[in-house]
Amino acid sequence: KETDEIKEALQGPYAEAVSRILLIKKVFPDNRMAKHFSVGYFNSLDDAGKKGLLKVCRSGIENPDSGMGCYAMQPKDYDFYKPFFSLVLSDYHKVPSDKKHVNNWSLEGVPGLPEGGKLDLGALGLPALSM
């Protein structure tokens, strides 16, 4: 099955990029983009999805010795290409791919906050456009 998936990807307009990724996967095993690039997943995408994923992977294609090798072009890429990014990011952060990050935005107990705990720039002694 994997051989058929590779043949399919190498017959289309993205053959050069896919073949380069497959070579990088073998020669530069620490390149996370190539390590987690799945030809089956790539083939499952429509044409726009394939173009977008290759755009995300371009850095690792052009710099095969990169440890990461891929970058979201826009925030929605993390959701759209979740099957790819979840593997890459969990590898990078050394956590299971199904781990859910939970933010705690509570400022309780943070030293140096103004009275009432409000992050008001003026109350912090900063100009309105300091950030």
Side-chain angles (χ1 to χ4, degrees):
K1 181 180 172 161
E2 183 180 358
T3 302
D4 292 338
E5 290 172 343
I6 292 171
K7 284 181 184 177
E8 179 184 339
L10 294 179
Q11 291 174 3
Y14 310 109
E16 184 179 339
V18 172
S19 63
R20 187 149 168 85
I21 291 169
L22 295 175
L23 177 63
I24 292 166
K25 187 180 283 212
K26 292 201 178 295
V27 179
F28 296 94
D30 294 334
N31 180 313
R32 288 179 179 90
M33 173 282 295
K35 179 180 178 181
H36 297 293
F37 184 89
S38 162
V39 175
Y41 173 65
F42 178 79
N43 288 344
S44 75
L45 299 170
D46 64 14
D47 195 56
K50 289 176 182 174
K51 284 180 185 176
L53 183 59
L54 290 178
K55 195 180 276 190
V56 161
C57 296
R58 179 61 48 201
S59 175
I61 295 169
E62 293 178 3
N63 303 285
D65 60 343
S66 169
M68 192 63 169
C70 57
Y71 301 93
M73 299 291 109
Q74 49 203 344
K76 70 179 185 174
D77 287 347
Y78 291 109
D79 292 322
F80 191 80
Y81 299 112
K82 186 174 183 175
F84 171 72
F85 272 119
S86 64
L87 296 172
V88 171
L89 294 172
S90 67
D91 184 10
Y92 180 80
H93 292 290
K94 298 176 180 27
V95 297
S97 61
D98 60 351
K99 179 131 175 116
K100 175 93 170 115
H101 178 78
V102 179
N103 288 323
N104 176 359
W105 295 100
S106 171
L107 299 175
E108 188 175 324
V110 176
L113 290 180
E115 193 67 35
K118 298 233 184 230
L119 291 178
D120 178 341
L121 294 177
L124 291 170
L126 300 171
L129 297 176
S130 71
M131 295 184 188

